[in-house]
Amino acid sequence: MAAPLRLVKGLRLAAGTPGLVLTRSAFVARKPNYDHPNWFGVGLAFGTTAALWVLLFKHHNEDVMEYERRQKERQHKCTGCS
Amino acid sequence: MLFLPDEARSLPPPPLVNKGSVWLGFAGWTAALLDNGFNHRPVIRAGVHRQILFTTVGWFVGYFLTKHTEYIHAKRDRELFEYVKQHPEDFKATEKKRIGELLEDFHPVR
């Protein structure tokens, strides 16, 4: 009973694919293969980067405009309508 | 946004290049380099997209953290100056002593 199980496990390990496993496992660890880059991940990273910078610039510009508007309002209130 | 009240917008916003952003951006970049190191990749040449992403996230968080910090400090300063203004008797400026009055008398022993 033990020998065929071990043979199957050996074959599965060699292939690197779980297939029909006799022991349950949440994942199979694989060595990362850098010959095939994860283009989706790269695209997602660059897309998120661009989105974050755009958001940051927009937010900063809104803040600056709002600050200047309030400064003007304060000037207007203090000096009154001249 | 870190849920800052509306009055925070009356403060000048921090510049895009500010202490918090630079430091957290650098921390993010270092995290990406560490990730490369732990996964046996060339440290600075690999995963440039990851380095840029982590730096950007650090920069982004740093900007809002700096904004929050400046608001908290400004609020504290405003409350402090209000208190000083309302209690002038506790904050009288002391008379400046002249150096001659401070020093002890000189009795030469020759």
Side-chain angles (χ1 to χ4, degrees):
Chain A
M1 181 58 183
L5 272 178
R6 244 183 286 131
L7 272 174
V8 168
K9 222 185 206 174
L11 282 173
R12 296 278 176 242
L13 279 172
T17 53
L20 171 64
V21 281
L22 297 166
T23 53
R24 283 176 298 184
S25 166
F27 61 93
V28 170
R30 258 177 283 258
K31 226 171 142 182
N33 181 9
Y34 294 116
D35 293 323
H36 302 288
N38 176 14
W39 290 117
F40 178 68
V42 172
L44 207 58
F46 278 131
T48 315
T49 306
L52 280 176
W53 279 116
V54 163
L55 267 178
L56 186 63
F57 268 89
K58 265 181 47 171
H59 187 88
H60 178 72
N61 287 336
E62 276 170 14
D63 277 348
V64 170
M65 299 248 285
E66 177 65 23
Y67 171 68
E68 284 173 358
R69 188 186 68 82
R70 289 188 186 202
Q71 287 299 88
K72 258 202 208 67
E73 238 179 49
R74 206 175 297 165
Q75 286 287 344
H76 195 73
K77 213 166 36 163
C78 284
T79 61
C81 285
S82 46
Chain B
M1 262 292 266
L2 281 165
F3 310 115
L4 285 175
D6 188 59
E7 62 177 355
R9 305 192 76 187
S10 305
L11 284 172
L16 272 171
V17 178
N18 62 76
K19 286 197 299 271
S21 283
V22 169
W23 184 250
L24 284 185
F26 176 71
W29 184 57
T30 313
L33 296 186
L34 270 178
D35 186 51
N36 281 346
F38 292 151
N39 289 307
H40 305 288
R41 292 193 292 256
V43 180
I44 29 177
R45 287 177 293 148
V48 177
H49 65 292
R50 198 176 294 111
Q51 292 177 32
I52 297 178
L53 177 65
F54 284 20
T55 309
T56 304
V57 168
W59 201 278
F60 193 82
V61 172
Y63 177 82
F64 288 104
L65 261 182
T66 306
K67 204 156 165 222
H68 187 257
T69 310
E70 288 197 350
Y71 170 69
I72 296 292
H73 289 173
K75 190 155 169 286
R76 182 200 58 183
D77 286 346
R78 182 182 62 190
E79 288 164 4
L80 175 70
F81 287 128
E82 273 300 316
Y83 183 86
V84 172
K85 217 190 290 185
Q86 286 170 4
H87 299 84
E89 68 281 359
D90 292 332
F91 298 97
K92 276 201 282 277
T94 50
E95 295 284 317
K96 285 225 156 82
K97 284 213 182 114
R98 313 202 64 180
I99 192 74
E101 295 164 24
L102 274 174
L103 294 174
E104 290 179 2
D105 290 338
F106 178 52
H107 303 291
V109 179
R110 295 195 216 278

